[in-house]
Amino acid sequence: GAVVSQHPSRVICKSGTSVKIECRSLDFQATTMFWYRQFPKKSLMLMATSNEGSKATYEQGVEKDKFLINHASLTLSTLTVTSAHPEDSSFYICSAAGSGRARSNEQFFGPGTRLTVL
Amino acid sequence: AQSVTQLGSHVSVSEGALVLLRCNYSSSVPPYLFWYVQYPNQGLQLLLKYTTGATLVKGINGFEAEFKKSETSFHLTKPSAHMSDAAEYFCAVSSRSFSGGYNKLIFGAGTRLAVHP
């Protein structure tokens, strides 16, 4: 149980286009989802926290108009990188935490999405 | 504020040798502590976690970690390394949420474990 999927796993796009990444909790309801960014050989940097049905809370330095997050349902959150540029190339990872696992304080991670902007 | 320091960005051990990955944390409130493993181009897999109770925590794949409050440490160990243990390991800290929500994880910089024959 507690499986989180991401789609796509890899995406290559041209500079200036927008890319949407989906994060789904497959077997539990995710009341909270987190989006991370990971640079090569670096740690994970939290970008934003989203709770179902409300606006995402962005970390300092993360442009909310650049990285649009929508958490419209208890099983789906999306991250849209708008007007992507080569410096947005990175590995994006989502995690989910659910109401049924509130006492575990555990986040379940997706497999990540590799974004390459040409 | 919370923070995590992982001592040693690279650790190399022989197959069968003891694995010790160091993690120290800073937290003004009782911490929740986690160790995750990441294989290339994959997400994170939870190895083990400490929330409350017993300070020696056993996880998957033969790993264990001990929470030492006096030393603010949560080092990860495994008695005998296997080739398949080669990966990136992240220590993370969070805190109890009294609002019923989820507090964010603060990750260390990571330690790359290499296992050689």
Side-chain angles (χ1 to χ4, degrees), chain B residues 17-94:
Chain B
L18 171 71
V19 175
L20 171 61
L21 304 182
R22 299 178 186 274
C23 172
N24 287 89
Y25 70 92
S26 172
S27 179
S28 58
V29 296
Y32 289 165
L33 295 159
F34 306 80
W35 274 101
Y36 289 89
V37 62
Q38 184 182 34
Y39 297 98
N41 294 310
Q42 294 186 26
L44 274 66
Q45 180 182 10
L46 180 68
L47 283 176
L48 48 78
K49 64 180 178 182
Y50 168 80
T51 53
T52 59
T55 56
L56 181 62
V57 182
K58 295 186 183 297
I60 62 172
N61 302 338
F63 285 94
E64 62 181 37
E66 186 171 10
F67 169 58
K68 292 187 176 181
K69 184 178 179 180
S70 62
E71 299 178 7
T72 62
S73 69
F74 191 58
H75 302 330
L76 181 70
T77 60
K78 181 174 181 178
S80 177
H82 192 272
M83 298 295 287
S84 61
D85 294 327
E88 188 85 19
Y89 291 80
F90 293 98
C91 181
V93 64
S94 182

Side-chain angles (χ1 to χ4, degrees), chain A residues 21-39:
Chain A
I21 302 170
E22 293 185 348
C23 177
R24 293 182 184 273
S25 58
L26 299 184
D27 52 2
F28 68 102
Q29 293 184 325
T31 51
T32 305
M33 286 185 168
F34 302 84
W35 285 96
Y36 297 85
R37 182 174 179 176
Q38 186 178 30
F39 292 99

Side-chain angles (χ1 to χ4, degrees), chain A residues 1 6 24 35 62 65 72 100:
Chain A
Q6 280 184 243
R24 293 182 184 273
W35 285 96
V62 178
D65 294 330

